[in-house]
Amino acid sequence: MKKLFLTMCLVIAAQTAFAQTAGSLIDQFKNEPKAEFVHIPRLMMALGKAVIKSNIDDEDDLEGYNLIKNISSIHVLDLEECSPQVRKRFAEAAGKLQTKGYEELMRANGDGETTRILLKKKGKIIRELLILNGGKDGGEAVQIKGNISMDDIDRLVKDNNIYNK
Protein backbone atom coordinates (compact mmCIF):
# COMPACT_ATOMS: atom_id res chain seq x y z
CA MET A 1 0.00 0.00 0.00
CA LYS A 2 2.86 2.36 0.83
CA LYS A 3 4.50 1.63 -2.54
CA LEU A 4 1.26 2.39 -4.37
CA PHE A 5 0.84 5.68 -2.50
CA LEU A 6 4.47 6.65 -3.17
CA THR A 7 4.09 5.80 -6.87
CA MET A 8 0.94 7.94 -7.15
CA CYS A 9 2.72 10.86 -5.47
CA LEU A 10 5.64 10.56 -7.90
CA VAL A 11 3.30 10.47 -10.91
CA ILE A 12 1.48 13.60 -9.74
CA ALA A 13 4.77 15.38 -9.02
CA ALA A 14 6.11 14.44 -12.46
CA GLN A 15 3.00 15.77 -14.20
CA THR A 16 3.30 19.04 -12.31
CA ALA A 17 7.00 19.35 -13.07
CA PHE A 18 6.46 18.85 -16.81
CA ALA A 19 3.38 21.05 -17.04
CA GLN A 20 3.72 23.83 -19.57
CA THR A 21 3.63 27.45 -18.40
CA ALA A 22 3.14 30.47 -20.66
CA GLY A 23 6.78 31.51 -20.35
CA SER A 24 8.12 28.04 -21.05
CA LEU A 25 5.75 27.62 -24.01
CA ILE A 26 7.09 30.79 -25.61
CA ASP A 27 10.70 29.87 -24.76
CA GLN A 28 10.23 26.41 -26.27
CA PHE A 29 9.17 27.75 -29.69
CA LYS A 30 10.84 31.16 -30.04
CA ASN A 31 14.02 29.69 -31.61
CA GLU A 32 12.27 27.47 -34.17
CA PRO A 33 13.25 28.15 -37.81
CA LYS A 34 11.21 31.06 -39.23
CA ALA A 35 9.61 31.83 -35.85
CA GLU A 36 9.16 35.51 -35.12
CA PHE A 37 9.62 36.56 -31.50
CA VAL A 38 9.48 40.02 -29.96
CA HIS A 39 10.05 40.84 -26.31
CA ILE A 40 9.49 44.38 -25.09
CA PRO A 41 11.05 44.48 -21.60
CA ARG A 42 10.23 46.85 -18.75
CA LEU A 43 12.93 49.39 -19.71
CA MET A 44 11.76 49.68 -23.33
CA MET A 45 8.15 50.00 -22.14
CA ALA A 46 9.20 52.88 -19.87
CA LEU A 47 10.94 54.65 -22.77
CA GLY A 48 7.92 54.12 -25.02
CA LYS A 49 5.58 55.47 -22.35
CA ALA A 50 7.69 58.62 -22.04
CA VAL A 51 7.50 59.23 -25.80
CA ILE A 52 3.75 58.60 -25.88
CA LYS A 53 3.12 60.85 -22.90
CA SER A 54 4.95 63.74 -24.54
CA ASN A 55 2.81 63.39 -27.70
CA ILE A 56 -0.69 63.25 -26.21
CA ASP A 57 -2.93 65.52 -28.28
CA ASP A 58 -6.49 64.67 -27.33
CA GLU A 59 -8.74 62.70 -24.96
CA ASP A 60 -8.47 59.48 -27.04
CA ASP A 61 -4.68 59.58 -26.76
CA LEU A 62 -4.99 60.04 -23.00
CA GLU A 63 -7.31 57.01 -22.69
CA GLY A 64 -4.82 54.85 -24.62
CA TYR A 65 -1.93 56.13 -22.54
CA ASN A 66 -3.80 55.36 -19.30
CA LEU A 67 -4.03 51.74 -20.42
CA ILE A 68 -0.47 51.47 -21.76
CA LYS A 69 1.15 53.08 -18.74
CA ASN A 70 0.22 50.05 -16.64
CA ILE A 71 1.84 47.47 -18.96
CA SER A 72 5.27 46.34 -17.82
CA SER A 73 6.29 43.88 -20.58
CA ILE A 74 5.05 42.20 -23.74
CA HIS A 75 6.07 38.91 -25.40
CA VAL A 76 4.83 38.10 -28.92
CA LEU A 77 5.49 34.81 -30.70
CA ASP A 78 4.34 34.21 -34.29
CA LEU A 79 4.79 30.81 -35.94
CA GLU A 80 2.85 31.50 -39.14
CA GLU A 81 5.93 31.05 -41.37
CA CYS A 82 7.06 27.87 -39.56
CA SER A 83 6.57 24.36 -40.85
CA PRO A 84 3.23 22.59 -40.30
CA GLN A 85 4.98 20.21 -37.88
CA VAL A 86 6.13 23.10 -35.67
CA ARG A 87 2.64 24.66 -35.71
CA LYS A 88 1.11 21.30 -34.82
CA ARG A 89 3.53 20.81 -31.90
CA PHE A 90 2.74 24.36 -30.72
CA ALA A 91 -1.02 23.70 -30.81
CA GLU A 92 -0.52 20.49 -28.82
CA ALA A 93 1.74 22.21 -26.28
CA ALA A 94 -0.68 25.15 -25.95
CA GLY A 95 -3.45 22.63 -25.28
CA LYS A 96 -1.40 21.21 -22.40
CA LEU A 97 -0.73 24.64 -20.92
CA GLN A 98 -1.07 24.71 -17.17
CA THR A 99 -3.87 27.21 -16.54
CA LYS A 100 -3.88 27.13 -12.75
CA GLY A 101 -4.19 30.73 -11.58
CA TYR A 102 -5.63 31.86 -14.93
CA GLU A 103 -9.25 32.70 -15.65
CA GLU A 104 -10.41 31.79 -19.13
CA LEU A 105 -12.00 34.87 -20.66
CA MET A 106 -12.74 33.34 -24.06
CA ARG A 107 -12.29 30.19 -26.13
CA ALA A 108 -13.14 29.95 -29.82
CA ASN A 109 -12.82 26.95 -32.12
CA GLY A 110 -13.28 27.07 -35.86
CA ASP A 111 -11.69 26.11 -39.17
CA GLY A 112 -9.07 23.98 -37.43
CA GLU A 113 -7.92 26.78 -35.14
CA THR A 114 -8.34 27.36 -31.44
CA THR A 115 -8.06 30.74 -29.77
CA ARG A 116 -7.94 31.19 -26.01
CA ILE A 117 -7.72 34.35 -23.95
CA LEU A 118 -6.61 33.85 -20.35
CA LEU A 119 -6.27 36.35 -17.52
CA LYS A 120 -4.39 36.34 -14.26
CA LYS A 121 -6.16 38.75 -11.94
CA LYS A 122 -5.72 40.06 -8.46
CA GLY A 123 -8.96 41.70 -7.45
CA LYS A 124 -9.95 44.10 -10.25
CA ILE A 125 -6.39 44.31 -11.57
CA ILE A 126 -5.20 42.18 -14.49
CA ARG A 127 -1.64 41.01 -13.80
CA GLU A 128 -1.25 39.02 -17.02
CA LEU A 129 -3.16 38.68 -20.27
CA LEU A 130 -2.36 35.63 -22.39
CA ILE A 131 -3.68 35.16 -25.92
CA LEU A 132 -3.03 31.80 -27.60
CA ASN A 133 -3.96 30.88 -31.15
CA GLY A 134 -3.03 27.54 -32.65
CA GLY A 135 -4.00 25.61 -35.73
CA LYS A 136 -2.99 24.41 -39.16
CA ASP A 137 -2.33 27.88 -40.60
CA GLY A 138 -0.55 29.52 -37.70
CA GLY A 139 0.39 29.66 -34.10
CA GLU A 140 0.60 32.78 -32.01
CA ALA A 141 1.13 33.62 -28.37
CA VAL A 142 0.89 37.09 -26.85
CA GLN A 143 1.73 37.60 -23.18
CA ILE A 144 1.14 41.03 -21.65
CA LYS A 145 2.18 41.64 -18.04
CA GLY A 146 1.38 44.61 -15.86
CA ASN A 147 -1.20 46.07 -13.52
CA ILE A 148 -4.11 46.82 -15.83
CA SER A 149 -7.36 48.02 -14.29
CA MET A 150 -10.59 46.40 -15.46
CA ASP A 151 -12.14 49.89 -15.30
CA ASP A 152 -9.57 51.19 -17.82
CA ILE A 153 -10.39 48.34 -20.21
CA ASP A 154 -14.14 48.86 -19.79
CA ARG A 155 -13.73 52.57 -20.50
CA LEU A 156 -11.54 51.89 -23.56
CA VAL A 157 -14.01 49.34 -24.99
CA LYS A 158 -16.96 51.64 -24.33
CA ASP A 159 -15.25 54.65 -25.93
CA ASN A 160 -14.22 52.64 -29.02
CA ASN A 161 -17.42 50.68 -29.53
CA ILE A 162 -18.71 51.46 -33.02
CA TYR A 163 -22.30 51.10 -31.83
CA ASN A 164 -21.88 53.98 -29.35
CA LYS A 165 -20.98 56.48 -32.06
Side-chain angles (χ1 to χ4, degrees), residues 15-16 18-26 28-29 89-102 104 107 116-120 128-133 140-143:
Q15 285 180 331
T16 304
F18 291 108
Q20 193 82 312
T21 64
S24 66
L25 177 69
I26 291 171
Q28 179 182 349
F29 288 93
R89 284 188 306 126
F90 175 79
E92 290 170 356
K96 295 176 185 174
L97 182 73
Q98 184 179 29
T99 58
K100 184 178 181 182
Y102 286 96
E104 187 167 273
R107 179 188 296 250
R116 294 170 65 192
I117 300 177
L118 304 164
L119 300 174
K120 251 187 198 176
E128 182 180 338
L129 174 66
L130 181 61
I131 303 167
L132 298 170
N133 183 44
E140 297 88 21
V142 178
Q143 181 183 40

Side-chain angles (χ1 to χ4, degrees), residues 39-59:
H39 173 219
I40 305 172
R42 186 178 301 267
L43 178 61
M44 289 301 293
M45 289 297 297
L47 292 172
K49 291 173 201 175
V51 170
I52 292 169
K53 188 174 183 178
S54 67
N55 292 311
I56 293 176
D57 292 332
D58 59 24
E59 192 66 30

Side-chain angles (χ1 to χ4, degrees), residues 21-32 37 75 77:
T21 64
S24 66
L25 177 69
I26 291 171
D27 287 343
Q28 179 182 349
F29 288 93
K30 71 182 182 183
N31 295 319
E32 289 289 338
F37 173 70
H75 292 89
L77 174 67

Side-chain angles (χ1 to χ4, degrees), residues 60 63 154-165:
D60 288 339
E63 285 293 325
D154 288 343
R155 201 169 23 258
L156 189 67
V157 169
K158 182 180 175 189
D159 291 346
N160 291 297
N161 189 338
I162 60 170
Y163 299 110
N164 289 340
K165 294 182 179 183

Side-chain angles (χ1 to χ4, degrees), residues 40-43 45-46 49 68-74 127 144-147:
I40 305 172
R42 186 178 301 267
L43 178 61
M45 289 297 297
K49 291 173 201 175
I68 291 171
K69 75 178 182 182
N70 296 314
I71 296 174
S72 59
S73 70
I74 300 173
R127 306 284 295 162
I144 301 171
K145 292 184 176 182
N147 291 307

